[in-house]
Amino acid sequence: MHYSTIAIYNRRKEIASLAADKALELPIMPSGYWFHHDIRDNFYYAIHLYAYCVDKEFTCEWDTEQCKIAKDLALSMIQKVLSLQEKNPLDPMYGHWPLNLGDDPSKAKPNSLPVELMGCLLVLFYHKYQHELPSDVKNDCHQAITHIYESNVYKQTLTYMYHHEAKHTSLKLLLGDFFDNKELIEEGLQLAKKQLTHIQKFGFKEYGALPWFWHWVQSFTCVWEVVKDSEVRSTMNELLDYLWRLRADYYLKGTWVGPHSRQWPHDAPKDRNTLLDYIHFGDFPMPTEIVRLEGTGLFTYELAQEMVKSVTNRTKPIEIRRKIKFSNADDMVTDEAHTYVYITPEFAVGGIWERINEYDNEQQRWDITLPVTQTESVNQALFFHPGIKYIPGDDRHASTYGEVMYHKDTVIQVWNVPFDNKEAISFIIGCLPKGEWQFNNHRGYGKIGDTFLQFHLLNEFKMVEKVDRISITSPLSSNLNGVIMEIISSKEAKELGIYDLLSFITNMEEKNKTCFASDRSAEKINVSYLTWRNELLQFSLDNQGNVDRLLNGQSISFVDYQIM
């Protein structure tokens, strides 16, 4: 067995063991379930607990009695989950499970979401462990799969080219294989090829969508693990190679750098959903918490080693410029966007140039990202103007306002909020990792790990230190505000004679005495900023939305932005 394979194998065992231990620690509710908020979590923990006990690859460290108790618990939980499936063929929700179990699981209404990934993982679980399962549980699993097969669950056509359809396509292939339905396999294969061709042609419009990117990966990995048809396997290899190369491009020591079309709190402003990354890349501390388990420990798919080495052994900075064309299955382009990321061994800076209205207003437009560590601190630094669905304490859900500029270690965003929007929130918010910080009226300077980070605001701000972050609030003045953030590694800082926070502050303040010039009567902001590399960034935004961006006197161009 190759060294890299052994390392991945060992990390899979670590995650399986972590999941099994967590499962045994979970309190069981009076209903007999671990969770009511999401039925899927009961299933995901149960299949990992069972797999840890019976899969010889995991070399369970428990004694015989403890293993029996754990297996019985896992099997009971699996049966309880399966029992809530709608089994009436005449019901419009036939084949589905409820999502939230409410106060009384027996009365919970079916929902279209759980079957998508859980159905794929049920087939994978049955495929891997059918010979170890007791006959009653094996029969329950088979019957649940049969109900899915006989329902309309997976019979949608391709419309939006997004994660739901990736899972439906995977179900077609898995069920076609399970029931030897060659017509269904062929249908699923053609849809999978269309999805692959589409994302290759237009780009991946669910850019950085966490956790939904992982649903693409996991559902197609289920097919790769189960279906032996050579053409299906070839297509799965192509899809998974594309998806993992996309993931690797934006990888830095457990983090997903750059912009996110959607992002849930378990990945913003701290990268915490890191189990699959740990298994495949392994260059950051082993996770000790599980925020999203799903099928993580059951997959045997391995990445190409050259892909892994290229991102775990970064020695020099790279810039990634990408273009995305937003299109549905009809291939009609409705929008175009450009993403930029600058990645070094110590940090990454980047985002998306255009504001896109994403589902649930969960776009994270830009951030500065530091590697995952074992500290409690967040690892993302960002500023944003709160918008629809914003809730204090949740540093997501930005407004539609603001224009940006990115260049290597530096990001600028300026807000000119229309006066006629009386409902617009009157301040911007900043989120900063914990570290050694000093602040003045408009600026902040920090030393965080192997980096120095600074920000400049147009207006004054208030700072509150929390357990895991520094929170900044800065008011709009005449409906205007702006921020400049720049980061430098300690290694590069030494070349400038910077060895500590004080010398960093002295050096940076001398370079930029003033950065902002706001003409409040004309409702316009001008920015002029000299980076630590002595590159001049100039930026202006007026109240009509007119933007000028100059880098060393030259306009920003998107000519070299390519579709991946």
Side-chain angles (χ1 to χ4, degrees), residues 272-559:
R272 295 164 59 218
N273 183 22
T274 58
L275 300 183
L276 281 167
D277 283 335
Y278 177 73
I279 290 173
H280 287 283
F281 298 111
D283 63 340
F284 61 96
M286 177 185 164
T288 57
E289 65 172 344
I290 296 175
V291 297
R292 207 169 185 99
L293 180 57
E294 297 170 337
T296 305
L298 273 60
F299 304 127
T300 62
Y301 180 86
E302 292 184 25
L303 308 191
Q305 277 310 294
E306 66 271 14
M307 185 193 305
V308 175
K309 290 178 182 177
S310 69
V311 298
T312 56
N313 296 309
R314 295 188 190 276
T315 57
K316 58 184 180 180
I318 63 166
E319 291 176 281
I320 299 175
R321 297 177 174 90
R322 291 274 162 75
K323 179 166 63 177
I324 303 167
K325 292 184 176 182
F326 291 81
S327 169
N328 292 331
D330 59 9
D331 287 359
M332 297 291 291
V333 176
T334 56
D335 255 318
E336 187 171 289
H338 304 83
T339 65
Y340 173 88
V341 179
Y342 179 74
I343 308 176
T344 77
E346 298 85 11
F347 62 83
V349 181
I352 188 166
W353 290 87
E354 298 84 1
R355 161 70 187 184
I356 305 292
N357 290 322
E358 302 287 0
Y359 182 79
D360 269 352
N361 191 34
E362 290 176 330
Q363 183 194 54
Q364 182 162 308
R365 193 163 176 185
W366 63 267
D367 64 32
I368 294 177
T369 304
L370 302 176
V372 166
T373 66
Q374 290 181 314
T375 66
E376 197 171 356
S377 173
V378 303
N379 66 293
Q380 298 162 25
L382 64 144
F383 280 79
F384 69 103
H385 177 242
I388 295 171
K389 298 200 172 184
Y390 169 72
I391 299 172
D394 181 357
D395 290 336
R396 302 179 305 137
H397 303 296
S399 77
T400 59
Y401 305 115
E403 295 293 343
V404 295
M405 182 174 181
Y406 311 109
H407 180 62
K408 295 186 177 178
D409 331 78
T410 306
V411 58
I412 299 172
Q413 185 164 16
V414 172
W415 293 270
N416 193 334
V417 178
F419 275 102
D420 58 4
N421 186 347
K422 304 303 182 184
E423 297 182 359
I425 291 175
S426 61
F427 52 84
I428 64 171
I429 291 172
C431 173
L432 306 171
K434 299 291 283 287
E436 181 187 359
W437 282 94
Q438 286 192 27
F439 303 98
N440 63 27
N441 289 342
H442 293 264
R443 302 185 181 197
Y445 300 90
K447 186 177 190 313
I448 307 149
D450 295 326
T451 66
F452 292 94
L453 176 63
Q454 63 173 322
F455 69 85
H456 305 249
L457 287 166
L458 171 64
N459 302 325
E460 294 187 354
F461 65 91
K462 293 182 179 179
M463 179 275 291
V464 176
E465 184 165 358
K466 300 179 180 178
V467 173
D468 64 342
R469 71 194 70 179
I470 305 289
S471 287
I472 302 292
T473 305
S474 178
L476 300 175
S477 177
S478 300
N479 279 35
L480 305 175
N481 210 333
V483 65
I484 305 162
M485 296 193 80
E486 184 178 30
I487 187 169
I488 181 173
S489 69
S490 298
K491 180 180 177 182
E492 290 170 317
K494 285 179 182 177
E495 298 174 6
L496 303 177
I498 296 171
Y499 296 94
D500 55 20
L501 185 59
L502 182 59
S503 56
F504 176 62
I505 295 171
T506 301
N507 188 296
M508 294 300 109
E509 286 187 340
E510 288 177 357
K511 190 173 286 292
N512 288 284
K513 300 292 185 182
T514 59
C515 306
F516 293 97
S518 60
D519 183 345
R520 297 182 190 270
S521 61
E523 300 173 33
K524 183 177 182 179
I525 301 180
N526 294 298
V527 181
S528 181
Y529 185 76
L530 193 63
T531 73
W532 71 266
R533 304 172 189 277
N534 292 319
E535 294 181 291
L536 180 62
L537 308 184
Q538 293 170 288
F539 182 105
S540 69
L541 173 67
D542 67 19
N543 64 353
Q544 301 300 311
N546 298 310
V547 185
D548 286 317
R549 304 180 181 96
L550 298 177
L551 170 61
N552 297 321
Q554 300 295 314
S555 296
I556 297 293
S557 170
F558 297 131
V559 171

Side-chain angles (χ1 to χ4, degrees), residues 39 81-88 91-99 108-116 118 144 147-148 151-156 168 171:
I39 191 174
V81 170
L82 298 182
S83 71
L84 294 183
Q85 185 183 32
E86 178 55 62
K87 302 176 182 67
N88 178 7
D91 194 294
M93 296 300 289
Y94 175 50
H96 286 285
W97 279 270
L99 179 62
K109 301 298 183 184
N111 184 288
S112 62
L113 293 180
V115 73
E116 291 181 348
M118 195 171 82
H147 288 309
I148 300 173
S151 75
N152 293 317
V153 163
Y154 56 91
K155 295 180 181 178
Q156 293 87 344
H168 294 154
L171 279 173

Side-chain angles (χ1 to χ4, degrees), residues 216-228:
W216 282 77
V217 169
Q218 292 186 68
S219 63
F220 287 131
T221 303
C222 287
V223 179
W224 183 91
E225 299 271 359
V226 172
V227 181
K228 302 308 176 188

Side-chain angles (χ1 to χ4, degrees), residues 123-327:
V123 176
L124 174 63
F125 176 73
Y126 186 91
H127 174 80
K128 292 173 73 78
Y129 304 114
Q130 58 182 305
H131 301 300
E132 288 83 12
L133 288 170
S135 58
D136 59 334
V137 182
K138 180 179 178 179
N139 182 65
D140 287 349
C141 290
H142 194 283
Q143 284 298 312
I145 295 169
T146 302
H147 288 309
I148 300 173
Y149 177 64
E150 293 177 348
S151 75
N152 293 317
V153 163
Y154 56 91
K155 295 180 181 178
Q156 293 87 344
T157 59
L158 294 182
T159 303
Y160 301 108
M161 294 294 187
Y162 63 170
H163 60 281
H164 295 295
E165 292 166 356
K167 289 174 279 189
H168 294 154
T169 296
S170 298
L171 279 173
K172 285 182 173 71
L173 289 162
L174 290 164
L175 295 168
D177 178 76
F178 193 92
F179 293 100
D180 196 26
N181 184 333
K182 291 181 171 49
E183 184 179 334
L184 186 56
I185 292 176
E186 181 60 25
E187 181 185 347
L189 175 61
Q190 294 309 314
L191 294 180
K193 287 181 175 180
K194 285 182 181 179
Q195 286 168 299
L196 175 61
T197 300
H198 186 89
I199 56 181
Q200 289 172 331
K201 180 178 180 181
F202 296 102
F204 196 75
K205 67 180 179 181
E206 291 189 289
Y207 56 94
L210 301 179
W212 298 277
F213 170 86
W214 293 120
H215 291 186
W216 282 77
V217 169
Q218 292 186 68
S219 63
F220 287 131
T221 303
C222 287
V223 179
W224 183 91
E225 299 271 359
V226 172
V227 181
K228 302 308 176 188
D229 177 273
S230 60
E231 196 172 359
V232 171
R233 276 190 80 75
S234 176
T235 302
M236 292 303 107
N237 279 325
E238 285 189 77
L239 268 164
L240 290 171
D241 182 69
Y242 174 95
L243 292 168
W244 275 106
R245 286 188 184 279
L246 181 65
R247 198 290 163 258
D249 280 347
Y250 296 95
Y251 178 82
L252 175 65
K253 297 178 182 176
T255 71
W256 190 303
V257 306
H260 301 271
S261 59
R262 295 182 63 191
Q263 199 169 27
W264 270 16
H266 54 51
D267 279 301
K270 182 177 182 178
D271 291 88
R272 295 164 59 218
N273 183 22
T274 58
L275 300 183
L276 281 167
D277 283 335
Y278 177 73
I279 290 173
H280 287 283
F281 298 111
D283 63 340
F284 61 96
M286 177 185 164
T288 57
E289 65 172 344
I290 296 175
V291 297
R292 207 169 185 99
L293 180 57
E294 297 170 337
T296 305
L298 273 60
F299 304 127
T300 62
Y301 180 86
E302 292 184 25
L303 308 191
Q305 277 310 294
E306 66 271 14
M307 185 193 305
V308 175
K309 290 178 182 177
S310 69
V311 298
T312 56
N313 296 309
R314 295 188 190 276
T315 57
K316 58 184 180 180
I318 63 166
E319 291 176 281
I320 299 175
R321 297 177 174 90
R322 291 274 162 75
K323 179 166 63 177
I324 303 167
K325 292 184 176 182
F326 291 81
S327 169

